[in-house]
Amino acid sequence: MFLKKTLFATLVIQLFCVVTLWAQTESTLAISGEVSVPLTLKKSDLAAFETISHKVKDRDGKEHEFKGVALFELLKKAGVSNGAQLRGENLVKYVLIQAADGYEVLYALPEIDPDFTDQIILLATEKDGKALENGEGPFRIITPNDKKQARWIREVRSIKVGFAKE
Ligand SMILES: Nc1nc2c(c(=O)[nH]1)N[C@H]1C(S)=C(S)[C@@H](COP(=O)(O)O)O[C@H]1N2
Ligand SMILES: [Mo]
Protein backbone atom coordinates (compact mmCIF):
# COMPACT_ATOMS: atom_id res chain seq x y z
CA MET A 1 0.00 0.00 0.00
CA PHE A 2 2.74 2.43 1.03
CA LEU A 3 4.73 1.50 -2.05
CA LYS A 4 1.71 2.11 -4.26
CA LYS A 5 1.17 5.55 -2.78
CA THR A 6 4.84 6.45 -3.19
CA LEU A 7 4.78 5.26 -6.77
CA PHE A 8 1.66 7.28 -7.47
CA ALA A 9 3.16 10.40 -5.89
CA THR A 10 6.33 9.96 -7.97
CA LEU A 11 4.26 9.67 -11.13
CA VAL A 12 2.30 12.82 -10.30
CA ILE A 13 5.53 14.75 -9.67
CA GLN A 14 7.04 13.49 -12.92
CA LEU A 15 3.94 14.47 -14.85
CA PHE A 16 4.05 17.93 -13.26
CA CYS A 17 7.71 18.35 -14.27
CA VAL A 18 7.02 17.31 -17.86
CA VAL A 19 4.08 19.72 -18.14
CA THR A 20 6.10 22.58 -16.59
CA LEU A 21 9.03 21.98 -18.93
CA TRP A 22 6.68 21.78 -21.91
CA ALA A 23 4.99 25.04 -20.95
CA GLN A 24 8.38 26.74 -20.72
CA THR A 25 9.50 25.67 -24.19
CA GLU A 26 9.45 28.86 -26.15
CA SER A 27 8.93 28.75 -29.90
CA THR A 28 11.86 30.23 -31.74
CA LEU A 29 12.37 31.44 -35.27
CA ALA A 30 15.38 30.18 -37.22
CA ILE A 31 16.79 32.09 -40.19
CA SER A 32 19.22 30.04 -42.27
CA GLY A 33 20.45 29.21 -45.76
CA GLU A 34 21.96 31.86 -48.04
CA VAL A 35 22.76 34.22 -45.17
CA SER A 36 26.09 35.22 -43.65
CA VAL A 37 24.84 35.08 -40.03
CA PRO A 38 22.22 32.36 -39.35
CA LEU A 39 19.97 33.47 -36.50
CA THR A 40 17.71 31.83 -33.96
CA LEU A 41 15.38 34.44 -32.57
CA LYS A 42 13.16 34.46 -29.50
CA LYS A 43 10.20 36.79 -29.35
CA SER A 44 12.11 39.01 -26.91
CA ASP A 45 14.93 39.44 -29.46
CA LEU A 46 12.52 41.36 -31.70
CA ALA A 47 12.53 44.25 -29.22
CA ALA A 48 15.80 45.37 -30.85
CA PHE A 49 13.93 46.18 -34.08
CA GLU A 50 11.54 49.00 -34.93
CA THR A 51 7.86 48.16 -34.35
CA ILE A 52 5.68 48.42 -37.46
CA SER A 53 1.91 48.17 -37.50
CA HIS A 54 -0.52 47.38 -40.31
CA LYS A 55 -4.31 47.72 -40.28
CA VAL A 56 -5.51 45.06 -42.70
CA LYS A 57 -8.53 42.90 -43.43
CA ASP A 58 -7.97 39.24 -42.64
CA ARG A 59 -9.91 36.37 -44.25
CA ASP A 60 -12.76 37.01 -41.80
CA GLY A 61 -13.36 40.29 -43.68
CA LYS A 62 -12.71 42.30 -40.52
CA GLU A 63 -9.98 44.84 -40.02
CA HIS A 64 -7.25 43.91 -37.55
CA GLU A 65 -4.21 45.78 -36.38
CA PHE A 66 -1.09 43.62 -36.55
CA LYS A 67 2.17 44.74 -34.96
CA GLY A 68 5.63 43.33 -35.42
CA VAL A 69 8.87 43.96 -37.22
CA ALA A 70 9.73 44.23 -40.89
CA LEU A 71 10.72 40.84 -42.31
CA PHE A 72 13.38 42.66 -44.34
CA GLU A 73 15.11 43.96 -41.18
CA LEU A 74 15.45 40.42 -39.82
CA LEU A 75 16.85 39.16 -43.11
CA LYS A 76 19.23 42.11 -43.26
CA LYS A 77 20.47 41.31 -39.76
CA ALA A 78 21.12 37.75 -40.97
CA GLY A 79 23.17 39.22 -43.80
CA VAL A 80 21.00 38.43 -46.80
CA SER A 81 21.88 40.12 -50.13
CA ASN A 82 20.39 43.61 -50.15
CA GLY A 83 21.13 47.12 -51.34
CA ALA A 84 23.73 47.19 -54.11
CA GLN A 85 24.21 43.38 -53.82
CA LEU A 86 20.62 42.62 -54.77
CA ARG A 87 21.29 42.52 -58.51
CA GLY A 88 22.38 40.01 -61.14
CA GLU A 89 22.16 36.41 -60.07
CA ASN A 90 21.13 37.38 -56.54
CA LEU A 91 17.75 38.32 -58.01
CA VAL A 92 16.86 34.61 -58.05
CA LYS A 93 17.24 34.24 -54.30
CA TYR A 94 14.06 33.23 -52.51
CA VAL A 95 12.70 33.07 -48.98
CA LEU A 96 10.95 29.85 -47.95
CA ILE A 97 8.91 30.24 -44.77
CA GLN A 98 7.82 27.17 -42.83
CA ALA A 99 5.19 26.80 -40.10
CA ALA A 100 4.66 24.43 -37.19
CA ASP A 101 1.84 22.64 -39.08
CA GLY A 102 4.01 21.97 -42.14
CA TYR A 103 2.48 24.81 -44.20
CA GLU A 104 5.04 26.63 -46.35
CA VAL A 105 5.05 29.78 -48.42
CA LEU A 106 7.62 31.39 -50.66
CA TYR A 107 8.67 34.92 -51.56
CA ALA A 108 11.29 36.08 -54.01
CA LEU A 109 13.86 38.22 -52.21
CA PRO A 110 13.05 41.38 -54.25
CA GLU A 111 9.41 41.16 -53.07
CA ILE A 112 10.71 41.89 -49.57
CA ASP A 113 13.46 44.41 -50.31
CA PRO A 114 12.59 48.12 -49.77
CA ASP A 115 14.62 49.13 -52.86
CA PHE A 116 12.10 47.14 -54.93
CA THR A 117 8.82 47.70 -53.10
CA ASP A 118 7.08 50.07 -50.70
CA GLN A 119 5.18 47.17 -49.16
CA ILE A 120 6.47 46.26 -45.71
CA ILE A 121 5.98 42.55 -45.11
CA LEU A 122 5.58 42.10 -41.40
CA LEU A 123 6.65 39.39 -39.02
CA ALA A 124 3.77 40.05 -36.65
CA THR A 125 3.67 39.12 -32.98
CA GLU A 126 0.55 41.06 -31.94
CA LYS A 127 -3.02 41.33 -33.18
CA ASP A 128 -5.45 43.95 -31.88
CA GLY A 129 -3.21 44.73 -28.91
CA LYS A 130 -2.72 41.11 -27.80
CA ALA A 131 0.11 38.65 -28.33
CA LEU A 132 -0.71 36.19 -31.11
CA GLU A 133 -2.17 33.04 -29.61
CA ASN A 134 -1.19 29.41 -30.10
CA GLY A 135 -2.29 28.34 -33.55
CA GLU A 136 -1.47 31.74 -34.99
CA GLY A 137 1.67 32.90 -33.19
CA PRO A 138 4.00 33.66 -31.73
CA PHE A 139 5.06 34.77 -35.24
CA ARG A 140 2.88 35.36 -38.31
CA ILE A 141 3.62 36.90 -41.69
CA ILE A 142 1.36 39.74 -42.85
CA THR A 143 1.63 40.77 -46.50
CA PRO A 144 -0.78 43.72 -46.98
CA ASN A 145 -0.61 43.85 -50.80
CA ASP A 146 -1.56 40.19 -51.25
CA LYS A 147 -5.32 40.22 -51.89
CA LYS A 148 -5.50 36.61 -50.69
CA GLN A 149 -4.27 35.83 -47.19
CA ALA A 150 -2.79 32.48 -48.22
CA ARG A 151 0.82 33.66 -47.73
CA TRP A 152 0.01 35.19 -44.35
CA ILE A 153 1.58 32.15 -42.77
CA ARG A 154 0.77 31.50 -39.11
CA GLU A 155 3.02 29.80 -36.52
CA VAL A 156 6.23 30.61 -38.41
CA ARG A 157 9.16 28.49 -37.21
CA SER A 158 11.80 28.84 -39.88
CA ILE A 159 12.89 31.06 -42.72
CA LYS A 160 15.26 29.56 -45.28
CA VAL A 161 16.92 31.67 -47.92
CA GLY A 162 17.61 29.73 -51.11
CA PHE A 163 19.20 30.30 -54.47
CA ALA A 164 17.29 29.24 -57.60
CA LYS A 165 20.24 29.76 -59.98
CA GLU A 166 20.59 26.98 -62.56
N1 LIG B 1 0.56 27.83 -40.73
C1 LIG B 1 -0.45 28.09 -41.56
N2 LIG B 1 -0.65 29.36 -41.96
C2 LIG B 1 -1.66 29.64 -42.81
C3 LIG B 1 -2.48 28.63 -43.33
C4 LIG B 1 -2.23 27.28 -42.89
O1 LIG B 1 -2.90 26.32 -43.28
N3 LIG B 1 -1.20 27.07 -42.00
N4 LIG B 1 -3.49 28.94 -44.21
C5 LIG B 1 -3.36 30.19 -44.95
C6 LIG B 1 -4.57 30.58 -45.66
S1 LIG B 1 -4.92 29.69 -47.06
C7 LIG B 1 -5.33 31.66 -45.28
S2 LIG B 1 -6.63 32.17 -46.22
C8 LIG B 1 -5.04 32.40 -44.04
C9 LIG B 1 -6.26 32.45 -43.16
O2 LIG B 1 -6.02 33.30 -42.11
P1 LIG B 1 -6.91 33.23 -40.78
O3 LIG B 1 -6.57 31.99 -40.06
O4 LIG B 1 -6.55 34.46 -39.99
O5 LIG B 1 -8.35 33.24 -41.22
O6 LIG B 1 -3.97 31.84 -43.30
C10 LIG B 1 -2.91 31.36 -44.06
N5 LIG B 1 -1.86 30.94 -43.17
MO1 LIG C 1 -6.91 30.50 -47.79
Side-chain angles (χ1 to χ4, degrees):
M1 192 61 189
F2 174 73
L3 200 68
K4 262 190 180 169
K5 272 188 181 164
T6 318
L7 202 68
F8 181 71
T10 315
L11 276 175
V12 169
I13 291 165
Q14 277 179 348
L15 192 69
F16 178 78
C17 291
V18 167
V19 169
T20 313
L21 276 174
W22 176 75
Q24 282 173 350
T25 321
E26 196 187 348
S27 306
T28 54
L29 169 66
I31 305 182
S32 65
E34 297 279 327
V35 293
S36 49
V37 193
L39 300 173
T40 301
L41 299 167
K42 296 193 294 282
K43 205 177 134 184
S44 55
D45 296 325
L46 301 186
F49 298 87
E50 185 191 351
T51 302
I52 308 279
S53 89
H54 281 324
K55 278 192 182 141
V56 285
K57 275 196 184 132
D58 202 349
R59 193 179 51 171
D60 60 10
K62 292 186 196 135
E63 195 170 70
H64 296 282
E65 185 177 29
F66 287 93
K67 277 192 187 152
V69 303
L71 175 60
F72 172 74
E73 293 301 326
L74 300 177
L75 291 171
K76 195 171 133 188
K77 179 92 180 169
V80 84
S81 309
N82 66 94
Q85 305 146 2
L86 193 44
R87 56 185 280 277
E89 60 182 22
N90 283 337
L91 292 172
V92 298
K93 283 189 177 163
Y94 61 87
V95 176
L96 177 68
I97 310 181
Q98 300 168 314
D101 63 353
Y103 194 73
E104 298 178 304
V105 298
L106 185 135
Y107 293 88
L109 198 49
E111 283 187 276
I112 305 169
D113 189 290
D115 286 348
F116 285 81
T117 176
D118 286 331
Q119 161 169 251
I120 299 178
I121 298 177
L122 207 64
L123 183 85
T125 52
E126 254 186 50
K127 176 175 163 182
D128 303 325
K130 280 181 263 163
L132 291 177
E133 286 170 10
N134 279 347
E136 186 173 16
F139 311 109
R140 183 182 185 184
I141 291 291
I142 300 296
T143 310
N145 292 357
D146 274 7
K147 288 201 288 180
K148 264 193 151 179
Q149 290 81 6
R151 292 199 296 177
W152 299 19
I153 181 171
R154 304 181 297 256
E155 292 186 280
V156 176
R157 293 293 157 82
S158 76
I159 298 179
K160 290 174 184 160
V161 181
F163 194 24
K165 179 97 180 129
E166 293 194 332

